[in-house]
Amino acid sequence: MGTPMPSCEHIDFSKLPIYKPDVECTSRERIRAIQLAKLIDQVGYTYDRVAWYRDQMDEMHVKPSDIKTLDDVRKLPFTDKSALRLTFPFGMFATPLDEIVEMHASSGTTGKPIVVGYTKEDMDVWSECIARLAQMAGVTAGDRVQMAFGYGMFTGGFGLHYGILRIGGMMIPAGSGNTERHIQMIEDYGTTVLIATPSYAMHICEVGEKLGFDWAASTLQIGLFGGEPCPPGLKAEIEARMHITCTDNYGLTEVMGPGVSGECLAHRDQQHIAEDHFLWEVVDPQTGEPVAEGEMGELVLTPLDKRGIPVLRYRTHDLTRVTTEPCECGRTLVRMDKVRSRSDDMLIIRGTNIFPSQVEDVIANIPSLSPQYRMIVDNDEGLDRLTIEVEIHPDVFSDSFEDMNQFTHDVTAKLQSVLLLRPVVKLLEPGSIERTLGKAKHVDDRRRG
Amino acid sequence: MSISQISVFVESKPGHLGNVLEGFESANLSVRGFSAADTGGYGIVRFVVDKPEEALAHLRERGFAVRLTKVLCVKLHDKPGELASVLRVMAQAQVNVVYCYSLVSTYIVLAVNDIARAEKALADTSLELIDDDEIAALPVRQAL
Ligand SMILES: [Zn+2]
């Protein structure tokens, strides 16, 4: 990470709560056994109750009885967002609507939203997953938790709300909007935990500073973030200015909502997956075949005990890598890297898969470069060529061509070791790359077929 | 005795060097000499100006990658063999001239790998070194 992360070396992990240690800290063998038993059951349940999956599996000549090992999950069909759209609203439901106790929907930016329904059992799993991630951040029964997400169809608000109740924390359901009121409530009620999007937390922080509110002296200790990606730099800044510890979690409405995985305090750029509820695969986004452990690929999720809307092998299009190494926090559930890019961003250059986030990481670790970059791919001379434009930092420019050439060479070597492909590195003047938020703007693919 | 030189990182693209010069113009800075060299992708342009500290601050403010370096400035007499004699002195003193360019009138800038050693070698000759104050005063002197 290029941005300094707050040091957690002083944390005594044995003193932090773990919501369900008999699962979260169990052996890998036991987790795999739990997953297999649930997978076999879940595939049978899904085949029996959801016509869409039954048709798919019949077409592929796969029967539930073919699932004998965890690897057999690969025999099953993938599910894409489109399947949920095509069956709008209730086509994928496995239970009569009488058994659905709550509905949520993702905001569809195009066309119909994705509608999801939860049975009582589903709500139970969901709130437990949230309880786990809240405890990873240090939230306990005595906490006063202020909600700054909007409630409503969005899964974030109620999802987090139920999880906090599960721990025994006190919910303060303020909802979104009215920043000054939020700050007043923190002061009046002695709020200890804030649930917000990271950008709204930053806004609360700034408004508080302008009003003269002393964040260092406030009761607030923890931020639970969600609803949008949280750049490490933003998190570090909020932690420093509000004097709190902030974590974020991962989830998708299609497989449950928030709570699929959560950040512990030992590895701030990773999240523990709730493996007893989600079977994960990391696949090559092009071929759908599994990648080796530790390699970057697309996350595919199969919820293992979802009753309302079972989903098999959901293609998240999110890129991550997973490690099975035990964590210093005491948990043995695998850790996934926080999602920083989508499979749609991937470039294939001379047969090598390249992600903008890889370039971003290398550049973030070179203090003499700004975090801005641009990737240009062309094949003007036949072969694919990747040019990476970077901005030098004003302070490191040297008067010597020899030094500058050496510097260019070093940057090229660092990129090559990660990308496994030698790029052409071009040094640009500071500030010459347009500042944008979207990843897409970083890549300019000029190849002609 | 050495002078301050401003080195600026510029992309080899139309208009980029012009941006630097506009910066000097807006700050009312006078260029006494310059040299531009590039690698195809980017270049380093070196300037000797009348107010180097001001020029540095001004270009930094405008976001340029810029640096102040110490170089020597030798006053030459306009006669054959004068330039050769400077380089001969450097060679004899085992000082490497990294690059070299001329200024207004008969002044040359020498960027060397060992300023102290070069100064000492030049002190034993009739060649004259000038400093930043003299650089600033250059046109005045010429007008007289
Ligand atoms: Zn951990």
Side-chain angles (χ1 to χ4, degrees):
Chain A
M1 289 289 118
T3 320
M5 284 297 214
S7 165
C8 289
E9 281 162 25
H10 59 283
I11 293 177
D12 180 355
F13 291 110
S14 65
K15 293 213 170 72
L16 285 177
I18 295 180
Y19 187 75
K20 204 169 191 180
D22 65 315
V23 173
E24 293 181 81
C25 307
T26 192
S27 69
R28 296 298 310 154
E29 292 70 30
R30 180 148 170 269
I31 275 292
R32 304 296 277 175
I34 292 172
Q35 288 184 315
L36 180 58
K38 285 192 175 184
L39 179 67
I40 291 170
D41 181 56
Q42 183 73 358
V43 172
Y45 176 86
T46 307
Y47 184 88
D48 290 347
R49 290 169 175 248
V50 185
W52 191 87
Y53 280 108
R54 195 160 52 243
D55 293 346
Q56 295 271 319
M57 287 170 66
D58 285 348
E59 211 169 285
M60 295 165 77
H61 305 290
V62 186
K63 294 184 297 299
S65 59
D66 292 329
I67 306 300
K68 296 188 176 75
T69 70
L70 284 178
D71 285 344
D72 288 335
V73 73
R74 288 183 222 149
K75 296 174 179 168
L76 298 169
F78 284 120
T79 308
D80 224 315
K81 207 190 258 296
S82 59
L84 293 159
R85 284 234 163 83
L86 289 169
T87 55
F88 177 86
F90 304 131
M92 296 293 258
F93 281 47
T95 56
L97 287 180
D98 291 358
E99 291 174 33
I100 301 293
V101 297
E102 188 155 328
M103 261 186 62
H104 283 280
S106 74
S107 57
T109 43
T110 51
K112 299 280 189 195
I114 303 288
V115 175
V116 288
Y118 303 78
T119 65
K120 202 169 173 307
E121 296 87 341
D122 292 337
M123 293 307 293
D124 197 45
V125 169
W126 192 14
S127 60
E128 184 184 316
C129 288
I130 300 292
R132 289 187 196 177
L133 70 89
Q135 294 232 307
M136 283 183 212
V139 180
T140 58
D143 276 305
R144 302 170 190 183
V145 185
Q146 190 165 318
M147 173 66 73
F149 282 159
Y151 287 91
M153 297 307 280
F154 159 64
T155 49
F158 281 106
L160 270 291
H161 184 105
Y162 296 136
I164 298 299
L165 296 187
R166 183 72 172 257
I167 294 178
M170 179 177 91
M171 275 311 297
I172 305 169
S176 61
N178 201 336
T179 308
E180 291 191 24
R181 190 179 63 125
H182 266 293
I183 296 165
Q184 193 61 53
M185 287 169 86
I186 291 170
E187 191 166 20
D188 292 344
Y189 305 146
T191 302
T192 56
V193 179
L194 176 70
I195 299 175
T197 61
S199 54
Y200 190 56
M202 189 70 214
H203 182 65
I204 294 177
C205 170
E206 282 172 347
V207 171
E209 285 170 355
K210 277 201 196 98
L211 294 172
F213 188 75
D214 184 358
W215 288 113
S218 92
T219 49
L220 202 64
Q221 288 167 14
I222 295 172
L224 294 181
F225 292 163
E228 66 190 19
C230 182
L234 178 62
K235 185 166 75 172
E237 196 172 340
I238 294 170
E239 292 195 328
R241 283 166 69 176
M242 293 181 95
H243 299 267
I244 57 177
T245 302
C246 310
T247 67
D248 65 336
N249 77 89
Y250 172 83
L252 304 96
T253 302
E254 294 81 355
V255 298
M256 180 176 79
V260 172
S261 67
E263 171 188 340
C264 76
L265 298 181
H267 289 274
R268 309 294 306 274
D269 48 2
Q270 294 178 322
Q271 291 155 331
H272 287 285
I273 300 177
E275 285 183 281
D276 49 330
H277 299 299
F278 297 93
L279 181 66
W280 56 271
E281 298 168 76
V282 181
V283 304
D284 182 313
Q286 298 304 118
T287 64
E289 291 299 314
V291 300
E293 183 182 333
E295 265 180 42
M296 186 81 100
E298 178 183 344
L299 183 68
V300 173
L301 292 169
T302 303
L304 291 169
D305 35 27
K306 210 155 172 282
R307 301 278 109 172
I309 305 180
V311 180
L312 301 179
R313 305 190 81 199
Y314 187 75
R315 302 279 304 240
T316 65
H317 295 281
D318 288 327
L319 295 172
T320 187
R321 60 184 155 212
V322 169
T323 175
T324 58
E325 290 290 308
C327 182
E328 288 85 336
C329 73
R331 290 174 182 83
T332 49
L333 297 181
V334 297
R335 282 167 284 145
M336 57 182 265
D337 280 14
K338 286 193 183 172
V339 173
R340 313 231 334 265
S341 49
R342 310 246 316 145
S343 55
D344 323 312
D345 300 332
M346 188 180 77
L347 288 163
I348 305 175
I349 302 171
R350 279 183 252 155
T352 307
N353 295 351
I354 300 212
F355 304 107
S357 59
Q358 294 175 292
V359 173
E360 195 169 303
D361 284 346
V362 173
I363 289 172
N365 278 309
I366 305 176
S368 318
L369 294 176
S370 87
Q372 304 295 325
Y373 65 94
R374 199 158 49 201
M375 299 166 72
I376 299 153
V377 196
D378 66 54
N379 55 2
D380 295 349
E381 288 153 33
L383 267 181
D384 289 350
R385 178 177 56 183
L386 170 64
T387 303
I388 299 175
E389 295 184 334
V390 292
E391 287 179 358
I392 63 162
H393 197 278
D395 296 343
V396 299
F397 163 62
S398 140
D399 175 50
S400 148
F401 277 107
E402 204 182 338
D403 292 351
M404 298 306 284
N405 287 343
Q406 185 60 48
F407 177 66
T408 310
H409 182 85
D410 292 347
V411 172
T412 308
K414 277 184 188 151
L415 284 164
Q416 185 178 7
S417 71
V418 171
L419 303 179
L420 309 175
L421 172 105
R422 189 170 180 84
V424 177
V425 170
K426 236 180 123 182
L427 301 184
L428 301 187
E429 290 166 26
S432 57
I433 296 176
E434 195 194 335
R435 268 56 178 161
T436 52
L437 287 171
K439 279 241 163 34
K441 288 281 177 83
H442 289 297
V443 179
D444 183 1
D445 197 339
R446 301 172 183 169
R447 282 178 288 192
R448 284 167 304 197
Chain B
M1 188 185 292
S2 59
I3 63 165
S4 301
Q5 166 192 263
I6 303 278
S7 302
V8 192
F9 176 93
V10 280
E11 284 165 46
S12 299
K13 275 187 192 158
H16 282 239
L17 180 54
N19 291 341
V20 179
L21 294 169
E22 272 166 29
F24 287 151
E25 193 184 356
S26 68
N28 202 20
L29 293 160
S30 190
V31 177
R32 305 295 194 229
F34 76 99
S35 118
D38 82 298
T39 60
Y42 65 91
I44 300 175
V45 188
R46 288 128 176 166
F47 295 94
V48 174
V49 298
D50 53 350
K51 289 168 275 186
E53 294 290 348
E54 262 179 53
L56 180 78
H58 193 73
L59 290 180
R60 279 236 167 106
E61 207 172 283
R62 288 178 150 231
F64 285 102
V66 52
R67 191 179 170 121
L68 210 58
T69 40
K70 287 289 171 196
V71 290
L72 296 175
C73 184
V74 186
K75 182 178 183 181
L76 303 181
H77 295 287
D78 190 9
K79 63 179 189 194
E82 187 81 349
L83 183 56
S85 74
V86 176
L87 296 172
R88 204 177 304 123
V89 173
M90 293 295 113
Q92 276 162 4
Q94 296 282 308
V95 173
N96 185 34
V97 177
V98 185
Y99 56 84
C100 164
Y101 58 94
S102 60
L103 306 190
V104 288
S105 188
T106 51
Y107 295 87
I108 58 161
V109 161
L110 293 180
V112 296
N113 62 343
D114 187 340
I115 283 195
R117 195 181 179 115
E119 279 173 339
K120 201 159 163 283
L122 288 164
D124 297 337
T125 71
S126 62
L127 293 161
E128 192 187 329
L129 283 171
I130 67 165
D131 62 15
D132 281 329
D133 291 341
E134 287 167 278
I135 287 285
L138 268 180
V140 180
R141 213 184 256 183
Q142 274 182 318
L144 290 171

